[in-house]
Amino acid sequence: MSFRDAYLRQLPHLTATDFEQTALALFRHQAAHCPPYQEYLGLLGRKPQQIQQLTDIPFLPIEFFKTHDVRTEPASWEPKEVFLSSGTTMQQRSQHRLRDPLLYRQNAARIFEQTYSPLREWTFLALLPSYLEQGQSSLVAMVDYFAKESGQAQPAFFLHDYAALVQALGEAKQLGRRVMLIGVTYALLDLAAEYGAAPELQGLTVLETGGMKGRRREMIREELHAELKLAFGPAGIHSEYGMTELLSQAYSLGDGRFHQPVPLRILLRDPSDPFSVSSTRPDGAINVIDLANIDSCAFIETKDLARQHPDGSFEVLGRMDNSDVRGCNQLVA
């Protein structure tokens, strides 16, 4: 049995205690079989045998997904699906090439169900206009899969027809299932401004995915969530931390703190020193280990800033200077 086959059999059953050993094994595999990562390690003069713990691992700068074909064992497969990051026509978009599109969808569903409850208990409605218009969005693919697996009859996606969305929300609530409205931040604010505290907007789970896209002024998280609560009620506004380069997501359940699922772990680094990484640092720039990234690279240096709490939850504080505006949740706290 190949390393990949054995690894994928183990992945759905991982526990937190398995994480470090599994991550180190995956590091050694990708150091040898992911050409851009192998080249990067070589330029740094870092040898796999020198890596004894997670904080020793050099993390691949996220920009490599824009400039390189980041695949592990690329000679043995061709992409069956490619996710592109959001961006303007003037920006180079990241590409995440997938060997097995179902791996992403099933991993995302497993994380959602471990965080919330089975998909079949939910109706998913989505307000993601910019993602739909640009195409090849991992977020759209995830929501589409969730909606299909839930068995819901309602269409999941709405572009700019807020009246149809409000009607669909009302109908979904009458079915007695839990209703989740997933929306890009600026579109949720537009919906709130147009429909205020309409009864159809009450009693939902609202999941904002971040992103003003230049449509509105940037807002701190507390200000944004306070404004959304005026329309959607006093319950907390949930958030997702995810990005094109990751196959796993973290969720905040209304308090602004993201909780790390089993396949994903963040380590914080000194923003001025990319190789100063600590498992106990309370704040810094985010490095991500995503064990679902078996076919690309699981060790990614992002441009996000965070504060980590003793229970392992983290708050996203914003982005480092001079980094691109991205589609995942990047609100300044």
Side-chain angles (χ1 to χ4, degrees):
M1 182 182 297
S2 69
F3 174 89
R4 182 178 186 275
D5 289 342
Y7 183 92
L8 290 178
R9 290 182 64 178
Q10 178 189 10
L11 184 63
H13 309 291
L14 282 179
T15 66
T17 56
D18 302 324
F19 189 94
E20 182 160 0
Q21 181 180 356
T22 304
L24 289 172
L26 182 58
F27 164 76
R28 290 188 286 271
H29 178 72
Q30 293 187 332
H33 299 289
C34 178
Y37 193 37
Q38 183 182 42
E39 181 181 3
Y40 180 65
L41 294 173
L43 290 172
L44 295 177
R46 300 299 297 276
K47 299 183 183 301
Q49 58 268 29
Q50 297 173 323
I51 307 303
Q52 302 298 321
Q53 56 189 359
L54 298 184
T55 52
D56 295 336
I57 294 175
F59 286 73
L60 187 73
I62 200 166
E63 293 86 356
F64 273 63
F65 282 82
K66 293 182 177 182
T67 58
H68 291 73
D69 182 357
V70 183
R71 285 189 289 153
T72 295
E73 300 181 315
S76 63
W77 60 280
E78 291 296 327
K80 294 183 179 178
E81 188 172 14
V82 179
F83 290 144
L84 298 179
S85 63
S86 57
T88 69
T89 55
M90 300 298 292
Q91 290 177 325
Q92 188 174 4
R93 299 167 69 185
S94 291
Q95 297 189 37
H96 196 162
R97 299 165 175 87
L98 272 63
R99 180 173 181 170
D100 180 2
L102 190 59
L103 169 62
Y104 165 68
R105 290 158 172 82
Q106 290 181 337
N107 181 65
R110 188 161 50 247
I111 291 171
F112 181 91
E113 292 189 335
Q114 290 170 351
T115 305
Y116 290 100
S117 63
L119 294 175
R120 64 179 179 273
E121 297 180 2
W122 292 84
T123 295
F124 296 94
L125 301 176
L127 191 56
L128 303 168
S130 53
Y131 293 95
L132 288 168
E133 291 164 346
Q134 291 186 340
Q136 294 180 261
S137 161
S138 58
L139 178 59
V140 169
M142 182 183 80
V143 175
D144 180 63
Y145 183 75
F146 286 5
K148 289 176 179 176
E149 290 297 301
S150 78
Q152 68 188 59
Q154 289 96 333
F157 296 99
F158 296 82
L159 274 170
H160 306 289
D161 190 348
Y162 294 162
L165 172 59
V166 171
Q167 180 179 346
L169 287 169
E171 293 172 353
K173 288 170 61 179
Q174 293 176 5
L175 297 176
R177 292 164 54 142
R178 302 176 71 180
V179 181
M180 178 171 282
L181 173 60
I182 302 172
V184 64
T185 304
Y186 75 83
L188 288 175
L189 288 169
D190 290 346
L191 175 65
E194 186 167 341
Y195 281 88
E200 292 87 350
L201 303 187
Q202 308 303 301
L204 312 173
T205 299
V206 178
L207 182 75
E208 58 92 6
T209 65
M212 289 299 193
K213 308 295 184 190
R215 312 289 181 99
R216 284 173 169 259
R217 68 177 179 85
E218 295 296 327
M219 303 168 68
I220 63 172
R221 180 180 56 81
E222 289 83 358
E223 180 186 7
L224 167 66
H225 285 202
E227 185 168 333
L228 291 176
K229 286 179 184 180
L230 292 176
F232 296 105
I237 304 299
H238 296 211
S239 304
E240 182 221 33
Y241 182 79
M243 58 189 72
T244 300
E245 298 84 359
L246 303 179
L247 298 188
S248 300
Q249 307 78 33
Y251 292 98
S252 164
L253 305 184
D255 60 358
R257 293 188 180 189
F258 293 94
H259 299 274
Q260 302 179 58
V262 171
L264 183 146
R265 185 171 298 182
I266 71 164
L267 298 173
L268 300 184
R269 69 182 189 274
D270 183 339
S272 62
D273 181 357
F275 305 111
S276 177
V277 181
S278 170
S279 59
T280 58
R281 187 183 180 90
D283 52 55
I286 295 178
N287 286 356
V288 178
I289 302 175
D290 185 356
L291 297 183
N293 278 19
I294 172 67
D295 297 312
S296 55
C297 181
F299 310 94
I300 300 174
E301 175 193 294
T302 81
K303 298 301 183 183
D304 300 331
L305 299 170
R307 175 182 300 119
Q308 188 160 212
H309 297 276
D311 65 356
S313 65
F314 64 97
E315 298 174 69
V316 179
L317 303 180
R319 294 190 57 73
M320 297 175 66
D321 291 341
N322 302 319
S323 58
D324 293 340
V325 174
R326 298 173 57 82
C328 56
N329 198 316
Q330 317 271 324
L331 301 173
V332 177

